[in-house]
Amino acid sequence: MFHTLMSTRMFILVTFLASVTFVQFRGRVRHKFSRLVADHANLLAPYNSLMYLFSAVKAKPYADTREFPELRQVTEQWQMIREEALKLFDEGHIRAASGYNDIGFNTFFKRGWKRFYLKWYGDFLPSASALCPKTAELLAKIPSINAAMFTLLPPGSRLGAHRDPFAGSLRYHLGLVTPNSPDCYIIVDGEKYFWKDGEAVMFDETYIHQAENRTDVTRVILFCDIERPMSNPVLRWINRTIGHGMIRAAATQNVPGEHVGVLNHVFSYVYQIRALGIRIKEWHKPLYYLLKWLLIAAIGYAIVVGF
């Protein structure tokens, strides 16, 4: 019995470490070791490995939008969508989170990035249905759209290299108001693309990517998470139930009173600890990194001993 238990624990540990290695070394661009070890994407590495192995979409940074014919009607209606987005922008609705309740994009706000949620792995937000009804109605007709929002990248903003933690979806961007310039771009696994008005692009956000706007024009796009097509019906069911359930926990609000997921409730408290770490880093950087690596070592030890 003891040996069976130890064998099971060892199998789980080895599987987890193999999944982390697979995720981190997938693609041409990789984080440096210190960032790799602490990457939050490691937490979902076993799940993501399943998504990659049974994906019906080829493993490459950019996907062909023609493989998603249901999105053609969205691209074709880009001018209508732009009108509603510009109205939101003019009225100040596309903005940063009012507090620490948007765990998925919290670091982006410091760079000037802003957003207005339409839906997040569930129903459309009431504010979206009220303020941009035509866009909400259009997107509601397409079941493969798991999440949608308008996002804004102002002049001079830069989003550092990162990978998103959930491989159950692919990312769709539709240019609404863009500089139409190579100086406002995204780089996915080393491959560059610049946004254009009325043009859609699809990419795998679990590859390391970064974005920058070096122009004097604010970039506004429609940003959607599209369900990753799976080759296996069992994995398709897992992605639609377990996967969506996990990500739904990161739901947040445009206006007070809208639903906030449990992860964001927890994040509002965890951020206080993170803020303390930032103050320590500003005061004494060597001490900050010592504490950081001691914490990582302690967590690693706890995992190994636990297994």
Side-chain angles (χ1 to χ4, degrees):
M1 181 68 179
F2 174 76
H3 292 295
T4 301
L5 180 61
M6 290 300 295
S7 297
T8 301
R9 289 179 172 178
M10 185 57 66
F11 173 78
I12 294 173
L13 178 60
V14 170
T15 300
F16 175 75
L17 294 177
S19 299
V20 169
T21 302
F22 177 39
V23 168
Q24 291 294 342
F25 287 89
R26 177 176 177 264
R28 295 176 297 172
V29 179
R30 302 183 182 93
H31 289 311
K32 60 182 181 180
F33 181 75
S34 59
R35 174 81 179 273
L36 181 155
V37 172
D39 191 353
H40 62 301
N42 293 338
L43 297 175
L44 290 181
Y47 181 89
N48 288 347
S49 295
L50 284 176
M51 295 296 105
Y52 299 142
L53 291 172
F54 293 96
S55 176
V57 177
K58 292 182 180 180
K60 54 183 181 179
Y62 292 93
D64 190 339
T65 56
R66 290 174 296 183
E67 295 183 35
F68 301 83
E70 72 275 18
L71 299 176
R72 186 180 303 116
Q73 58 186 307
V74 179
T75 307
E76 291 173 349
Q77 291 293 318
W78 74 274
Q79 290 177 311
M80 177 275 291
I81 298 170
R82 179 175 67 177
E83 289 178 5
E84 291 200 326
L86 283 174
K87 188 173 185 294
L88 288 172
F89 175 70
D90 291 340
E91 295 175 354
H93 293 291
I94 305 178
R95 57 195 179 207
S98 58
Y100 301 114
N101 62 359
D102 197 342
I103 188 172
F105 303 99
N106 179 69
T107 58
F108 289 4
F109 300 133
K110 300 175 184 177
R111 307 288 181 146
W113 185 89
K114 297 178 175 63
R115 85 292 185 269
F116 179 88
Y117 282 92
L118 300 169
K119 68 175 295 188
W120 185 260
Y121 291 82
D123 296 331
F124 281 79
L125 278 68
S127 56
S129 298
L131 295 171
C132 42
K134 293 180 182 179
T135 301
E137 182 181 7
L138 173 63
L139 300 184
K141 298 176 182 177
I142 307 173
S144 62
I145 297 179
N146 293 330
M149 66 181 82
F150 293 120
T151 69
L152 181 157
L153 190 67
S157 293
R158 180 180 183 275
L159 305 180
H162 64 284
R163 72 168 83 246
D164 288 27
F166 179 62
S169 63
L170 296 168
R171 186 67 42 80
Y172 168 91
H173 283 183
L174 175 61
L176 301 177
V177 181
T178 77
N180 294 291
S181 166
D183 288 332
C184 182
Y185 59 86
I186 185 169
I187 300 176
V188 184
D189 197 35
E191 298 182 24
K192 187 176 182 180
Y193 168 86
F194 69 92
W195 295 281
K196 308 170 190 70
D197 290 357
E199 183 172 288
V201 64
M202 180 91 70
F203 62 95
D204 185 337
E205 72 271 29
T206 59
Y207 284 103
I208 292 177
H209 56 285
Q210 59 189 36
E212 187 169 7
N213 184 359
R214 294 181 177 178
T215 75
D216 57 0
V217 177
T218 296
R219 183 226 65 181
V220 181
I221 63 170
L222 174 67
F223 168 122
C224 297
D225 276 3
I226 310 301
E227 181 180 307
R228 179 186 289 271
M230 305 301 294
S231 61
N232 184 310
V234 175
L235 269 296
R236 189 178 306 121
W237 178 86
I238 290 174
N239 192 27
R240 290 179 178 176
T241 54
I242 299 175
H244 290 193
M246 288 189 299
I247 304 305
R248 194 177 297 120
T252 190
Q253 56 188 199
N254 293 320
V255 297
E258 292 180 323
H259 174 69
V260 176
V262 63
L263 282 179
N264 279 317
H265 281 297
V266 173
F267 178 65
S268 63
Y269 295 101
V270 171
Y271 190 84
Q272 297 177 28
I273 300 174
R274 183 177 179 182
L276 175 61
I278 293 173
R279 289 197 295 271
I280 293 174
K281 185 177 182 180
E282 292 174 348
W283 172 64
H284 198 283
K285 190 172 291 188
L287 176 61
Y288 166 81
Y289 283 109
L290 174 62
L291 293 174
K292 175 182 176 179
W293 283 106
L294 285 175
L295 178 60
I296 291 173
I299 292 173
Y301 177 77
I303 292 174
V304 172
V305 171
F307 280 106

